[in-house]
Amino acid sequence: MARPLSRRTLLQTAALTAAATAVPAAAAGPAHSAPNAPATPSGVPAAWTVRPFGLEDVTLGPGVFDAKRRLMLDHARGYDVNRLLQVFRANAGLSSRGAVAPGGWEGLDGEANGNLRGHYTGHFLTMLAQAHRSTGEQVFADRIGTVVGALAEVREALRSEPAVLSTGGRFGRAAENVRGSYQYVDLPAAVLDGTPALTLSAWVRPAHGAAWARILDFGDDTTRYLYLAARNAAGVPRFAVTASGPGGEQGLDGTAPLPLDEWSHLAVTVADGTGTLYVDGAAVARNTAMTLTPAALGTLAHHWLGRSHFPADPVFAGAFEDVNVYARALTADEVAELHAGRAADTSAGRGDLASYAFDETAGGTFADASGRGLDAGLRRTWGAPSHPGFLAAYPETQFIALESMTGSDYTRVWAPYYTAHKILRGLLDAYLATDDERALDLASGMCDWMHARLSVLPAATLQRMWGLFSSGEFGGIVEAVCDLHALTGRPEHLALARLFDLDRLIDACAADTDVLEGLHANQHIPIFTGLVRLHDETGEQRYLTAAKNFWGMVVPHRTYAIGGTSSGEFWKARGVIAGTIGDTTAESCCAYNMLKLSRALFFHEQDPAYMDYYERALYNQVLGSKQDRPDAEKPLVTYFVGLTPGHVRDYTPKQGTTCCEGTGMESATKYQDSVYFAKADGSALYVNLYSDSRLAWAEKGVTVTQSTRYPEEQGSTLTIGGGRASFTLLLRVPSWAAAGFRVTVNGRAVPGAPVPGRYFGVSRSWRDGDTVRISVPFRLRVEKAPDDPGLQALFLGPVGLVARRPGPEPVRFGLYGNAGLSGDLLPSLTPVPGRPLHYTLDGVGLAPFAEGTEDPTHAYFRRSEPRVIFGTSDSTVANPAREDGTTLLDEIWAGAPFSGKGALVARVRATVDAWVLAGLLGRADGDKVVSTARRAEYAR
């Protein structure tokens, strides 16, 4: 028996989504909630008249969901979380412990300069939390603890002044600048002291091959400076000095790249018009026209190791040891000695202008051994966080820059608040799964920081920010902040949630004005789940109204047959489906977020359409987005599901760390979250999905075990276990269940007429062992694209069937030739022996969309019924069509089901007469059609 639901558990399982009032026992219709109600003694808000169960309360049985989940759980157990933490530790200047970031969007070298890094760690935390709640396995809790502990260390480091990261050096210790740390060494202004001659000597160990990373850069700006770069555009070291910017540089270029992760010695001498560059003790370049000296540049403002005066240049990644500056040009022999040992042990001695051994092991100050007392300090290029709660895998500059942006540029700023949302959500889920107070403290601190940052901005600035494509995307942050507010009760957290209001979108949707065309789909879907939560917290009706109306603008008007939405990540005009099909349709994140929104709305209004959509998207796009094979490195989840003919799904997009792979990890560890819901007063149990599972309903003291191979099986069996309990079992009757829906209890039929697209109620005082059998026969049906009825998708019950054949030409099928009197098109298909839900038609294989294979697929086909055929009897008459594309056969079969052959023939005669009268069909051909229908044999 599962433990009673605590307040913490309820927050996790329901995502703090308030619920609506109960539905009648026999059929569910719309009902509205009372928002912002106080919590009951059990911790459930009074408005939550329907609530979900915790992931720990619903156990998946064998079947397609369990099989897909096991693949993801194996990935969650085995993946090295230190790789995900690398970018966080680097940003704080901490050791990455040898870990290498995953790459793709989760690293420094990915798309748009890695400006989304950190998001994937949040997704991974959520996956681990859901996995722990579902399985109870300690390994997931341990991994959560590792991540949360590391993030706590990162935040502490960001709060503090940067500290040296000591590493092994060429001769002793050295100071390392981790790539991604944005740290550099700031030398006092008096270092050069107007010297007319100069030698620079440094041991360096580059860790990355980025061009123009500076070993040192002394100057004022981008006009007067001298620098030594580890690599120029050609990949070799370069020294340059100028008083007139890049065009006036007098330079020295090396002849070969410095090796990465190895120590190299560089030296530059400048005196008497000659400059020489040395690498590892050997002269590699000489310039006898180098007239500029430090004295000629005058007093310079900045003297940096590791940082460039050009903002676009990277910060040097690697280690420094024994850096010396001399007020003379050393001889070649002296430079050779510097390559052989420490400066202090050579004839040249330590630099007389400055000398840094970099052998410190703590603190952020580097001692000057020249005798001049010019100690240097470790700094961040971006200064320090504006608030101690800041936590990210990149500097706060992303957030600061967004505040002044007037146009989108994701290479400069790529959705920093979206990334913050993923981290925040992961921390909240970690806390709710393990009670780790550190996670809650980190989450609360993040919201404190965001409130401090955003609350001082003018309203117009916020509206501009949130309206920017991509750069201003903030994902589901409002939902997460509201969830935090429910835990902390702090008014500034609720105030923060409201600072993300995008008023023009909210107002338009509240007025039921469709403004979605041209909008980035996944940027906006989670906004509305957040608005539902804001309604819960504030009682403001326009939030809930906007969310409900928005859902209706997407479903069905912008929804593909598989349940997905978006084309190239954007929405097109309302009702345009066929006209938007391409290789980049149905972004997987969109389906994930539409499921969340549907679920949230259902708790406010028990419209079965929400769960009909949920089943469609879950059993098709969401399941089909996960590949059916194990992988230690990648979650193997699609980004786009292309709907072009012959599309092959890509399960490793963009190196494997995209938003969709993140949400895919989450989806695959919470398949059971919406199988059952309960009325808060315990009077009814909603069975929303038919999935092999076991519910432990602690409040009622019963279990409900659902045994089924659905959708391979056309029905399910529910067995009640435990003590007696009285409640109404509300069974969802799918909207496609036109072939009947029958219910028995302990073998006896339950009276009543279940209506497709409603809930059917069975009220009873249940006893241990009571058995409910649900039969829901499937029929093969087509769903037509609204803007092109000839483009159709094929469904058997909830299962979308795809044709497996290479493209690019669309598959063409005729289905009426052997249709049954019931209107079922299934007799036209040939079952594949031993493979449920697999068929062939005209030599082409058909399979469930949910199968995660790399076969070329056709989710849509072209309907081709060139001649009028009944029961495989060919009339030889061409199948005529109206201007709208409706054919004679379409109109005849629209009358199905037929009670018998006579009823079908009567329908044929009446339709033929009408078409002859309209001039669409000749009388002789019409008679042929009728006679063919009369002599044909039909399946039931």
Side-chain angles (χ1 to χ4, degrees):
M1 189 63 63
R3 63 184 181 273
L5 290 179
S6 66
R7 172 67 168 169
R8 178 177 63 82
T9 299
L10 283 165
L11 296 179
Q12 166 64 12
T13 59
L16 282 174
T17 311
T21 56
V23 298
H32 297 278
S33 66
N36 207 32
T40 65
S42 65
V44 180
W48 290 21
T49 54
V50 173
R51 63 161 177 79
F53 292 91
L55 294 177
E56 64 273 21
D57 297 324
V58 182
T59 305
L60 284 178
V64 62
F65 290 109
D66 182 58
K68 299 256 188 185
R69 186 182 67 164
R70 278 190 280 109
L71 291 170
M72 195 63 79
L73 291 177
D74 286 344
H75 177 71
R77 291 185 190 98
Y79 194 84
D80 181 5
V81 294
N82 284 297
R83 296 186 63 189
L84 302 174
L85 294 167
Q86 190 271 338
V87 289
F88 285 92
R89 286 170 167 151
N91 188 48
L94 300 175
S95 171
S96 61
R97 306 184 182 186
V100 178
W105 288 5
E106 197 60 36
L108 292 162
D109 295 316
E111 190 171 349
N113 307 307
N115 282 347
L116 212 65
R117 60 190 182 273
H119 81 113
Y120 200 72
T121 305
H123 285 298
F124 207 92
L125 259 182
T126 292
M127 174 179 65
L128 291 174
Q130 293 175 172
H132 180 57
R133 292 173 64 85
S134 294
T135 68
E137 291 182 27
Q138 185 62 34
V139 63
F140 299 121
D142 292 343
R143 311 199 94 209
I144 290 170
T146 297
V147 175
V148 170
L151 293 180
E153 292 174 2
V154 165
R155 188 181 68 173
E156 186 59 35
L158 289 170
R159 287 176 168 182
S160 309
E161 290 296 321
V164 62
L165 179 58
S166 182
T167 186
R170 177 67 173 79
F171 305 106
R173 302 304 297 172
E176 183 174 7
N177 271 359
V178 177
R179 183 163 181 255
S181 68
Y182 296 88
Q183 291 183 173
Y184 69 100
V185 180
D186 188 22
L187 310 184
V191 168
L192 293 182
D193 200 26
T195 181
L198 177 70
T199 295
L200 303 169
S201 169
W203 279 98
V204 294
R205 187 178 65 196
H208 191 258
W212 300 118
R214 303 295 202 261
I215 295 170
L216 59 85
D217 194 330
F218 299 166
D220 282 345
D221 44 35
T222 57
T223 301
R224 290 194 311 152
Y225 54 81
L226 62 84
Y227 69 80
L228 176 60
R231 294 192 177 201
N232 62 9
V236 298
R238 174 175 173 80
F239 172 82
V241 57
T242 181
S244 56
E249 286 186 3
Q250 299 175 3
L252 297 160
D253 293 308
T255 56
L258 298 182
L260 299 182
D261 301 315
E262 295 181 16
W263 285 102
S264 297
H265 180 258
L266 284 86
V268 176
T269 62
V270 178
D272 302 323
T274 298
T276 306
L277 172 65
Y278 297 85
V279 176
D280 290 333
V284 297
R286 180 168 284 107
N287 184 345
T288 58
M290 189 165 283
T291 58
L292 292 173
T293 66
L297 297 183
T299 302
L300 300 175
H302 306 124
H303 298 77
W304 296 331
L305 302 182
R307 180 180 180 182
S308 170
H309 280 88
F310 289 82
D313 289 341
V315 176
F316 177 78
F320 292 100
E321 184 180 11
D322 208 29
V323 174
N324 290 270
V325 185
Y326 301 85
R328 63 186 180 88
L330 299 186
T331 66
D333 288 342
E334 287 175 312
V335 171
E337 282 189 72
L338 290 175
H339 174 244
R342 293 177 181 270
D345 300 328
T346 68
S347 59
R350 295 187 177 97
D352 56 330
L353 293 180
S355 178
Y356 306 98
F358 289 110
D359 55 6
E360 289 83 359
T361 58
T365 300
F366 302 105
D368 172 30
S370 70
R372 300 178 68 204
L374 300 179
D375 293 351
L378 192 61
R379 306 283 185 265
R380 297 186 184 99
T381 62
W382 55 283
S386 64
H387 187 281
F390 174 75
L391 176 64
Y394 45 66
E396 197 174 0
T397 50
Q398 284 270 304
F399 299 89
I400 296 168
L402 176 62
E403 295 167 7
S404 60
M405 289 181 70
T406 57
S408 179
D409 179 0
Y410 87 130
T411 64
R412 179 183 171 209
V413 175
W414 190 6
Y417 286 97
Y418 172 94
T419 308
H421 160 243
K422 298 307 176 187
I423 300 167
L424 174 63
R425 180 77 263 169
L427 289 167
L428 281 172
D429 291 339
Y431 168 69
L432 294 166
T434 65
D435 288 317
D436 190 331
E437 293 289 341
R438 296 174 301 173
L440 181 61
D441 180 60
L442 288 167
S444 185
M446 286 186 70
C447 289
D448 293 345
W449 154 68
M450 284 187 279
H451 181 259
R453 173 122 241 123
L454 296 175
S455 62
V456 298
L457 296 178
T461 299
L462 293 172
Q463 294 299 315
R464 172 172 47 77
M465 287 164 57
W466 309 143
L468 289 175
F469 159 61
S470 191
S471 298
E473 183 175 354
F474 54 77
I477 200 165
V478 174
E479 178 191 13
V481 174
C482 287
D483 289 358
L484 178 70
H485 172 254
L487 290 168
T488 67
R490 292 172 52 191
E492 58 267 35
H493 291 160
L494 183 57
L496 170 63
R498 302 191 74 154
L499 291 173
F500 290 93
D501 280 6
L502 182 55
D503 288 331
R504 68 173 183 269
L505 178 66
I506 297 171
D507 292 342
C509 289
D512 206 14
T513 302
D514 191 329
V515 294
L516 302 190
E517 184 175 359
L519 292 184
H520 182 250
N522 198 53
Q523 179 168 347
H524 294 88
I525 298 170
I527 289 177
F528 291 91
T529 306
L531 294 182
V532 175
R533 286 292 295 113
L534 263 178
H535 165 265
D536 300 341
E537 296 294 304
T538 66
E540 190 166 328
Q541 184 61 35
R542 76 168 183 139
Y543 290 141
L544 182 59
T545 301
K548 289 165 53 181
N549 291 341
F550 165 80
W551 191 91
M553 296 170 193
V554 178
V555 182
H557 305 292
R558 292 178 172 89
T559 302
Y560 300 107
I562 60 172
T565 186
S566 80
S567 178
E569 299 194 9
F570 288 81
W571 281 308
K572 309 303 184 197
R574 184 183 180 106
V576 178
I577 295 297
T580 62
I581 284 177
D583 287 332
T584 57
T585 40
E587 183 185 358
S588 294
C589 270
C590 294
Y592 164 89
N593 279 309
M594 283 301 297
L595 289 186
K596 288 193 71 174
L597 178 59
S598 301
R599 186 172 185 266
L601 289 171
F602 187 87
F603 294 131
H604 287 268
E605 180 176 309
Q606 281 78 65
D607 186 344
Y610 294 135
M611 285 297 116
D612 271 341
Y613 170 79
Y614 201 100
E615 178 185 65
R616 175 188 295 272
L618 181 65
Y619 275 87
N620 292 285
Q621 171 149 10
V622 173
L623 277 179
S625 68
K626 172 73 184 85
Q627 191 171 18
D628 297 332
R629 71 175 180 85
D631 193 285
E633 288 296 303
K634 303 287 193 301
L636 299 182
V637 176
T638 60
Y639 190 110
F640 296 115
V641 176
L643 298 176
T644 49
H647 179 80
V648 176
R649 293 177 210 168
D650 180 4
Y651 294 99
T652 54
K654 299 177 182 286
Q655 300 183 57
T657 54
T658 65
C659 52
C660 293
E661 284 147 304
T663 54
M665 293 190 299
E666 296 182 34
S667 290
T669 48
K670 63 168 186 172
Y671 287 135
Q672 74 270 39
D673 74 342
S674 296
V675 176
Y676 309 100
F677 298 149
K679 290 188 65 176
D681 61 7
S683 64
L685 177 71
Y686 287 85
V687 181
N688 303 308
L689 301 171
Y690 301 109
S691 174
D692 195 290
S693 55
R694 182 181 184 274
L695 166 68
W697 193 1
E699 290 81 359
K700 303 296 284 188
V702 300
T703 61
V704 178
T705 301
Q706 188 173 175
S707 302
T708 182
R709 290 179 293 105
Y710 187 95
E712 294 180 1
E713 176 185 353
Q714 298 181 19
S716 185
T717 300
L718 283 75
T719 304
I720 309 299
R724 292 191 177 191
S726 296
F727 58 90
T728 298
L729 200 61
L730 291 170
L731 307 170
R732 187 177 66 86
V733 185
S735 59
W736 48 260
F741 186 93
R742 294 180 291 280
V743 181
T744 65
V745 176
N746 298 330
R748 292 188 176 185
V750 177
V755 178
R758 307 285 281 178
Y759 280 83
F760 182 73
V762 182
S763 298
R764 182 179 174 86
S765 179
W766 302 93
R767 299 183 179 184
D768 182 49
D770 280 348
T771 301
V772 180
R773 175 63 192 167
I774 301 156
S775 175
V776 52
F778 295 176
R779 282 184 180 168
L780 188 70
R781 70 186 188 280
V782 297
E783 295 187 358
K784 302 176 181 179
D787 53 329
D788 184 353
L791 189 71
Q792 302 178 359
L794 202 58
F795 276 83
L796 182 62
V799 178
L801 295 178
V802 295
R804 287 181 173 168
R805 194 184 76 178
E809 292 301 316
V811 170
R812 294 181 176 273
F813 287 145
L815 295 167
Y816 288 136
N818 200 28
L821 292 173
S822 65
D824 192 356
L825 302 173
L826 190 59
S828 295
L829 308 186
T830 302
V832 177
R835 302 195 70 191
L837 301 176
H838 287 72
Y839 302 88
T840 60
L841 177 60
D842 299 336
V844 178
L846 296 167
F849 183 94
E851 290 188 351
T853 73
E854 293 179 302
D855 295 298
T857 61
H858 298 243
Y860 285 93
F861 67 96
R862 278 283 164 198
R863 190 64 174 270
S864 178
E865 308 277 359
R867 295 190 308 279
V868 178
I869 300 174
F870 295 103
T872 71
S873 296
D874 191 344
S875 71
T876 71
V877 175
N879 185 23
R882 292 198 184 108
E883 287 186 3
D884 65 359
T886 301
T887 69
L888 177 69
L889 283 173
D890 289 337
E891 186 153 327
I892 290 170
W893 285 104
F898 301 106
S899 59
K901 180 176 178 178
L904 170 59
V905 173
R907 172 78 176 188
V908 172
R909 167 61 70 185
T911 305
V912 163
D913 288 346
W915 281 55
V916 169
L917 185 62
L920 298 171
L921 180 68
R923 172 52 64 186
D925 283 344
D927 291 342
K928 279 186 179 182
V929 169
V930 175
S931 63
T932 302
R934 187 178 293 118
R935 70 172 182 270
E937 296 297 326
Y938 303 93
R940 294 301 303 176

